[in-house]
C-alpha cells in the first residue's frame, strides 16, 4: 500500500477519547457493555427473523439486514476504541486506517439506502395495503438490499479513490478514536482543498438528500393517512415513530460532520459515538419493544424451547 501512494507514513497515532484514568476505565466498561448489547441484540433479531416463519415478511427481512449492518458498522470501530482507551500509545497501521475508512463508508452508505427501503415498505403497507404484496414482493426486497450494498460500495470507493493516492509524509496524529476521510485527508502532504470539497460533496450531499427524502416520505404517509382516516393517524404515527427516531439519531452526526467545513474541533469524534454505539444498540429495542409481532415471536420461541427441553 505504501508503495502505491508513495507514502512514508506507516502508521497513524490516534488521540482517542481524553479523560482521567477513572473516566477511561468507566468508558471501557460502558462501551464494552454497549458493544455486547449491540452484538446480542442485533444477532437475536437476525436469528428470530430466520427462525420464525411468521416474521418472513418484507419489513422483518429489511430489519434483519439493518441489524446485520449495525453489527458490521460497530465492529469496525468499537473494539479498537475499547482496547485503545486504556493504552497510552494508540496507533493504527496505514493499511488498517485505509481499510477502516473504506468499510465505514460501505456500511454507512448501505444503511442509508436500506433506511429508504424501510420507509418505502411502510409507505406501501400504510398507504397502499391492497398492493403491498406486489410492491414489496420477495424479488423486490432482495433487489432493495442488493441496491443498498452496491450504493454503499460505490460511495466508499469514490471516497477511497480520493485518499489512497495522496502522499502522507507527516504529521500522522489523528484527533479521534477511528480513521475517517475528513481527519485523514488533512494529514496529506499536498493541497487537499479540492479533495476536502469532493469528500464533503459526496458524503454530505448523500446524507442530507437521504435524510430529507426520508422525512418527506414520513410526512407524506402521515398526511395520506390523515386525509383518508383521521382515526388511524395515531396508529400510523406510533408505527412510524420508531423509524423517525432511528433516522434522526443516525443522520444527525452524519450531517453535522460532513456538511460542515472539515473538522477544527474534537466534537465530531463524540458525535459519531452515537452512530457507532447508541443507534445500533437502540435499534433492536426500538423495533421490538413496540412491536406485537416480535413479542409474540419471542414468546413462541421460548415456548418451543421449553417444550423441547421436556420432551
Amino acid at each position: 500500500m505504501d508503495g502505491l501512494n508513495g507514502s512514508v507514513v506507516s502508521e497513524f497515532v490516534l488521540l482517542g477519547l481524553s479523560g482521567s484514568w477513572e473516566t477511561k476505565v468507566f468508558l471501557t466498561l460502558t462501551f464494552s457493555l454497549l458493544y455486547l448489547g449491540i452484538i446480542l441484540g442485533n444477532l437475536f433479531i437476525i436469528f428470530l427473523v430466520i427462525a420464525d416463519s411468521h416474521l418472513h415478511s418484507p419489513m422483518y427481512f429489511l430489519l434483519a439486514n439493518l441489524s446485520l449492518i449495525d453489527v458490521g458498522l460497530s465492529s469496525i470501530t468499537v473494539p479498537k476504541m475499547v482496547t485503545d482507551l486504556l493504552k497510552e500509545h494508540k496507533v493504527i497501521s496505514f493499511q488498517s486506517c485505509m481499510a477502516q475508512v473504506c468499510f465505514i463508508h460501505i456500511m454507512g452508505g448501505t444503511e442509508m439506502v436500506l433506511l429508504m427501503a424501510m420507509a418505502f415498505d411502510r409507505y406501501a403497507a400504510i398507504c397502499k395495503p391492497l398492493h403491498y404484496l406486489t410492491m414489496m414482493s420477495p424479488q423486490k426486497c432482495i433487489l432493495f438490499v442488493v441496491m443498498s450494498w452496491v450504493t454503499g460500495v460505490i460511495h466508499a470507493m469514490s471516497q477511497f479513490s480520493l485518499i489512497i493516492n495522496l502522499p502522507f509524509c507527516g504529521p500522522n496524529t489523528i484527533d479521534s478514536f477511528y480513521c475517517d476521510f475528513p481527519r485523514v485527508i488533512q494529514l496529506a502532504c499536498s493541497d487537499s482543498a479540492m479533495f476536502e470539497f469532493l469528500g464533503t460533496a459526496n458524503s454530505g450531499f448523500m446524507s442530507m438528500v437521504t435524510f430529507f427524502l426520508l422525512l418527506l416520505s414520513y410526512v407524506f404517509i402521515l398526511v395520506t393517512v390523515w386525509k383518508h382516516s383521521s382515526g388511524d393517524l395515531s396508529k400510523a404515527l406510533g408505527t412510524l415513530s420508531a423509524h423517525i427516531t432511528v433516522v434522526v439519531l443516525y443522520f444527525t452526526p452524519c450531517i453535522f460532520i460532513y456538511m460542515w467545513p472539515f473538522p477544527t474541533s474534537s466534537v465530531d469524534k463524540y458525535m459519531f459515538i452515537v452512530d457507532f454505539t447508541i443507534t445500533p444498540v437502540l435499534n433492536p429495542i426500538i423495533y421490538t419493544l413496540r412491536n406485537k409481532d416480535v413479542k409474540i415471536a419471542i414468546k413462541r420461541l421460548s415456548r418451543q424451547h421449553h417444550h423441547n427441553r421436556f420432551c
Side-chain angles (χ1 to χ4, degrees), residues 3 28 41 307:
T28 301
H307 175 75

Side-chain angles (χ1 to χ4, degrees), residues 166 181 185-186 188 190-200 262:
L166 288 174
F181 187 79
I185 205 167
Q186 286 188 319
S190 62
D191 184 15
S192 59
M194 184 184 72
F195 297 105
E196 288 182 14
F197 171 76
L198 290 172
T200 303
F262 268 48

Side-chain angles (χ1 to χ4, degrees), residues 29-302:
L29 291 171
T30 303
F31 288 127
S32 297
L33 288 172
L34 281 172
Y35 184 62
L36 185 64
I38 290 164
I39 299 299
L40 295 179
N42 285 289
L43 289 183
F44 179 70
I45 284 185
I46 295 167
F47 169 74
L48 198 62
V49 171
I50 293 169
D52 195 307
S53 58
H54 296 84
L55 298 182
H56 291 178
S57 67
M59 184 173 86
Y60 297 109
F61 174 73
L62 295 174
L63 178 57
N65 277 277
L66 180 68
S67 291
L68 182 67
I69 292 166
D70 280 340
V71 168
L73 190 60
S74 297
S75 298
I76 294 163
T77 53
V78 180
K80 171 75 176 161
M81 175 178 73
V82 169
T83 54
D84 278 353
L85 266 167
L86 300 179
K87 287 181 185 174
E88 196 64 42
H89 192 55
K90 309 169 183 67
V91 296
I92 185 169
S93 69
F94 183 87
Q95 290 89 342
S96 297
C97 185
M98 294 298 112
Q100 200 173 53
V101 171
C102 193
F103 283 114
I104 284 171
H105 284 272
I106 287 175
M107 295 293 177
T110 303
E111 182 155 345
M112 286 183 190
V113 181
L114 194 63
L115 287 169
M116 288 186 73
M118 292 175 78
F120 181 76
D121 171 74
R122 291 302 82 207
Y123 161 75
I126 294 170
C127 300
K128 305 279 185 183
L130 298 177
H131 303 286
Y132 179 68
L133 293 177
T134 309
M135 293 173 74
M136 293 300 294
S137 65
Q139 293 83 1
K140 283 184 182 171
C141 288
I142 292 167
L143 183 63
F144 276 133
V145 172
V146 170
M147 280 172 57
S148 300
W149 282 100
V150 168
T151 305
V153 169
I154 290 170
H155 163 68
M157 289 302 106
S158 63
Q159 296 281 77
F160 194 60
S161 64
L162 293 175
I163 203 171
I164 192 61
N165 289 315
L166 288 174
F168 292 93
C169 52
N172 67 336
T173 303
I174 299 173
D175 184 14
S176 190
F177 59 87
Y178 69 102
C179 287
D180 196 9
F181 187 79
R183 289 283 179 192
V184 174
I185 205 167
Q186 286 188 319
L187 302 177
C189 302
S190 62
D191 184 15
S192 59
M194 184 184 72
F195 297 105
E196 288 182 14
F197 171 76
L198 290 172
T200 303
N202 187 325
S203 293
F205 181 75
M206 186 175 180
S207 303
M208 189 68 83
V209 168
T210 309
F211 180 65
F212 280 116
L213 283 175
L214 284 166
L215 289 187
L216 280 173
S217 70
Y218 295 137
V219 169
F220 180 76
I221 291 169
L222 292 172
V223 169
T224 305
V225 173
W226 177 68
K227 279 183 179 176
H228 288 85
S229 175
S230 57
D232 286 339
L233 185 61
S234 58
K235 186 182 173 184
L237 191 59
T239 306
L240 291 177
S241 60
H243 293 258
I244 294 166
T245 304
V246 169
V247 164
V248 170
L249 278 172
Y250 181 77
F251 280 93
T252 302
C254 294
I255 292 168
F256 183 86
I257 304 310
Y258 295 119
M259 287 305 291
W260 255 244
F262 268 48
T264 52
S265 71
S266 304
V267 177
D268 64 318
K269 65 181 176 185
Y270 297 106
M271 290 282 291
F272 258 107
I273 288 174
V274 175
D275 272 359
F276 295 141
T277 59
I278 309 301
T279 307
V281 85
L282 282 180
N283 278 354
I285 300 167
I286 288 169
Y287 284 113
T288 55
L289 285 184
R290 302 186 63 177
N291 191 304
K292 265 187 223 171
D293 293 338
V294 173
K295 286 178 187 174
I296 293 166
I298 292 169
K299 284 178 187 172
R300 203 160 32 231
L301 188 71
S302 63

Side-chain angles (χ1 to χ4, degrees), residues 11-24:
E11 62 181 24
F12 292 102
V13 177
L14 301 170
L15 295 185
L17 301 175
S18 55
S20 64
W21 175 256
E22 291 80 8
T23 305
K24 288 178 180 178

